[in-house]
Amino acid sequence: MIMSVDENFFTRVYEVVKKIPSGRVTTYGAIARAIGSPRASRMVGWAMNKAFSYHEYVPAHRVVNRNGMLTGKHAFPNANTMQELLEMEGITVVNDKVTNFEEVFWEPKSCW
């Protein structure tokens, strides 16, 4: 079976996201840089919207925008799920924003 460009890209994104430690967050842009596609943060967002259909668990709740905002919360079962998952890991969220973003930010290592 030949994997499409999108499937390969999405798989690379998911492999990075699966490495985000519990209690930490990263950004769409940081993931894009880590996989060697620094201008593809929007496509990383598309991949995160599809993460629930991936064959392995992907902790999508740990991916936020560059300001720490929970911009991907619409992809979860309800409007509060992303925040609840982050709070269960000790991350404080107020008004859809990680309050101590700089402290809990995780920079992925380049993978490709």
Side-chain angles (χ1 to χ4, degrees):
M1 176 178 157
I2 298 174
M3 190 177 287
S4 76
V5 174
D6 283 353
E7 288 172 332
N8 186 38
F9 181 91
F10 285 18
T11 299
R12 290 186 294 151
V13 167
Y14 301 150
E15 290 305 311
V16 172
V17 174
K18 290 189 310 184
K19 295 176 183 176
I20 304 169
S22 178
R24 305 292 294 274
V25 297
T26 197
T27 64
Y28 304 104
I31 294 168
R33 288 189 299 276
I35 64 169
S37 298
R39 299 176 59 101
S41 56
R42 185 165 293 182
M43 194 162 169
V44 170
W46 293 336
M48 297 315 305
N49 284 333
K50 302 282 187 194
F52 299 104
S53 63
Y54 193 59
H55 65 275
E56 294 179 42
Y57 174 69
V58 178
H61 63 285
R62 297 180 187 152
V63 182
V64 298
N65 82 357
R66 64 188 173 92
N67 298 314
M69 296 293 297
L70 310 188
T71 52
K73 72 179 197 170
H74 65 276
F76 289 83
N78 70 56
N80 299 320
T81 301
M82 187 175 185
Q83 179 172 335
E84 290 168 355
L85 290 169
L86 289 170
E87 288 174 342
M88 286 177 16
E89 295 182 3
I91 296 175
T92 305
V93 177
V94 176
N95 295 325
D96 293 332
K97 184 175 182 179
V98 175
T99 59
N100 56 341
F101 177 63
E102 293 79 18
E103 294 172 32
V104 298
F105 175 75
W106 177 78
E107 182 72 46
K109 307 252 188 295
S110 291
C111 301
W112 282 266

